[in-house]
Amino acid sequence: MPDQTPNIAQMNDRSREVFRRVVEGYLESGAPVGSRSLTRTLSEQVSAATIRNVMQDLEYLGLLGSPHVSAGRVPTQLGLRMFVDGLLEIGDLDGKDRQTIDQTMQSTDTDVATMLDQVGQALSGVTHGASLVLTPKHEAAIKHIEFVSLNKDRALVVLVFADGHVENRIFTPPPGQTPSSMREAANFLNAIAEGHTLSELGDVIAREIKARRREIDTLAADLVQSGLALWQNEGEATERLIVRGRGNLLTEAENDGDLDRIRSLFDDLERKRDIAQFLDLAQDGDGVRIFIGSENKLFSLTGSSLVVSPYMNADRKIIGAVGVIGPTRLNYGRIVPIVNYTAQLVGKMIADRS
C-alpha cells in the first residue's frame, strides 16, 4: 500500500473513468466488473489489457479489490468513500418518493413522536432499507438515570423522564472510570433528580461543588495563613493541600480533626467533579456521522452503510437526524436526495410547531 491516501484530483482521466465505471457497475449489479465489459463503455477505445493495467494500479492504491483471482474488480471501502465524496452524481428527487414523504407531514394533529415514526416508515418504504430517526433531545424532568459501561471507551446513559419518555445515549466516559464509579454517579444523580431537567441537574451539581470548595477554604484558611500548609494547583481539578512539616500530601496526613474533615471534603469534591463531567458528556452524547462499512463498528460485520442527514430547529441548531441503513452498494445517488429532503422537511415541521 502507498504511504499517502489516494486523491481523485491526482488521477489522470483514464484512471478516473475506469474507477468510476467499476464503482457504478458494482453499485448497479452487485457483481465484480471485468476489463472486457469496460472496453464497451469507456469514452476512449483501449484494449482490455490496458484497462487491466489501470485496474491493477487502482488496486495497488487500495481503491479496488479482487474477490477471486480470475474475477473482475469491486470497490473497496476506501474506494466507496472516495467515490461518494468526490465522484457521486446526485440525482433529482423522484416525484413519487417526494409525494410519499410529503404525506407523512400532512396531519396537523399528530404529535411529533408519531410523525417521526411515520417518517421512519416512509423512508424505509421508499428506499427498501432500514430507516434511522434520531429524535430531538427531551427536556422534561428526569425520573431515573443509569450509566452502563459498554467497553473502556464507550458507555450508555439511560434516561427515564417523568412523562414516561425513555432515551438511550452513547458517550465516551472520562478516563479511568469503572462500572462501580458509574453506579455511584447514577445513585447521586437519582437522589437529586426529582423535578429537574438534565441541564438543571448540572446547575445543582455546580452549586454542590462550590459549597464543598468553600468549606475546604474555610477549614484550610488557618493552616495556610500560619504557613503549615499550601495549595498545589489551586482551583484546578488536580488541586491538593500540602501540609508542611510532615512532607506528605493531605491524603497521608495524621488524623487531626480538621485535616480529616478537609480530606473527606476533598474526596467528596472529586466525586462531584467526576459526576459533573459524566453529566456533561451524557448531555452531549450521540454525534451525527456518515458511515461506510467498518467505519462504524456496528456495521463492520454486515457490510452496511448509513446515509444520514441532521435536521435543525428554528434557531438553526441541530436537534436530530434521519437516515437510511443498507448494503454498502446502496444507490447513493438516489438515497442521498431522499434523506436530505426528509431531513429538511422534518426540521421545518418542528420549527413550525415550536
Side-chain angles (χ1 to χ4, degrees):
M1 286 292 294
D3 293 334
Q4 295 183 337
T5 302
N7 189 321
I8 285 180
Q10 297 172 346
M11 291 183 186
N12 59 37
D13 292 342
R14 180 182 295 169
S15 294
R16 192 181 300 113
E17 185 177 8
V18 169
F19 172 65
R20 181 170 61 83
R21 297 283 187 183
V22 170
V23 177
E24 289 176 344
Y26 169 75
L27 292 180
E28 182 177 350
S29 68
V33 178
S35 56
R36 291 193 179 279
S37 64
L38 289 181
T39 58
R40 299 188 292 270
T41 59
L42 289 183
S43 57
E44 62 173 330
Q45 294 297 316
V46 293
S47 67
T50 299
I51 294 176
R52 281 196 295 272
N53 288 335
V54 174
M55 294 168 83
Q56 286 175 356
D57 291 340
L58 293 171
E59 188 170 1
Y60 172 74
L61 291 172
L63 301 177
L64 300 181
S66 304
H68 306 290
V69 175
S70 59
R73 302 302 201 283
V74 297
T76 62
Q77 180 179 303
L78 176 63
L80 277 174
R81 167 55 66 190
M82 179 174 286
F83 175 82
V84 168
D85 290 345
L87 291 176
L88 179 64
E89 295 180 1
I90 305 298
D92 294 328
L93 183 64
D94 180 81
K96 188 176 180 181
D97 292 339
R98 182 192 297 266
Q99 184 179 13
T100 301
I101 296 167
D102 286 344
Q103 286 175 348
T104 65
M105 309 287 180
Q106 290 178 357
S107 177
T108 56
D109 57 353
T110 303
D111 60 43
V112 173
T114 302
M115 189 277 299
L116 289 174
D117 184 57
Q118 293 172 353
V119 167
Q121 292 180 28
L123 264 180
S124 181
V126 299
T127 62
H128 305 293
S131 62
L132 169 74
V133 179
L134 300 179
T135 59
K137 289 181 177 178
H138 215 55
E139 268 299 300
I142 295 288
K143 181 180 180 181
H144 183 77
I145 186 169
E146 184 174 352
F147 297 104
V148 181
S149 177
L150 301 178
N151 55 48
K152 66 177 182 180
D153 60 354
R154 301 297 278 172
L156 175 75
V157 57
V158 181
L159 302 170
V160 181
F161 295 88
D163 61 2
H165 181 81
V166 178
E167 276 189 25
N168 297 327
R169 299 180 188 174
I170 300 291
F171 68 99
T172 302
Q177 296 300 325
T178 63
S180 61
S181 67
M182 291 187 184
R183 283 193 297 272
E184 184 179 346
N187 290 338
F188 174 81
L189 290 172
N190 287 321
I192 64 172
E194 186 174 358
H196 293 298
T197 65
L198 204 58
S199 55
E200 289 170 349
L201 278 178
D203 295 334
V204 173
I205 295 174
R207 290 195 294 270
E208 290 269 351
I209 289 174
K210 286 183 180 178
R212 294 297 178 270
R213 190 58 178 75
R214 282 196 298 269
E215 286 186 67
I216 292 173
D217 277 341
T218 300
L219 287 170
D222 291 341
L223 291 174
V224 174
Q225 189 173 3
S226 63
L228 294 176
L230 58 88
W231 285 107
Q232 181 185 59
N233 303 326
E234 185 173 5
E236 300 178 15
T238 57
E239 67 181 349
R240 290 290 183 271
L241 187 67
I242 299 178
V243 181
R244 290 175 180 266
R246 297 185 174 99
N248 294 322
L249 290 178
L250 178 62
T251 52
E252 298 175 357
E254 296 176 2
N255 288 328
D256 178 88
D258 282 348
L259 292 183
D260 279 346
R261 175 63 178 153
I262 293 172
R263 180 168 57 244
S264 175
L265 288 171
F266 259 121
D267 290 342
D268 189 62
L269 180 67
E270 189 170 351
R271 282 196 300 271
K272 285 182 170 57
R273 281 174 171 162
D274 286 345
I275 291 169
Q277 193 174 5
F278 265 122
L279 202 59
D280 287 341
L281 292 170
Q283 279 186 278
D284 296 335
D286 252 350
V288 175
R289 282 191 56 194
I290 296 176
F291 299 102
I292 289 182
S294 61
E295 289 176 359
N296 183 353
K297 292 179 182 178
L298 293 176
F299 304 143
S300 60
L301 296 180
T302 59
S304 298
S305 291
L306 168 63
V307 177
V308 64
S309 179
Y311 58 85
M312 295 178 261
N313 61 12
D315 299 322
R316 307 299 293 169
K317 178 182 178 183
I318 293 176
I319 56 173
V322 296
V324 171
I325 302 168
T328 52
R329 66 177 196 87
L330 275 174
N331 184 344
Y332 297 97
R334 175 174 174 264
I335 300 297
V336 169
I338 290 175
V339 171
N340 284 341
Y341 179 74
T342 305
Q344 291 171 15
L345 216 56
V346 170
K348 183 178 184 304
M349 182 279 302
I350 290 178
D352 289 344
R353 295 191 180 195
S354 63

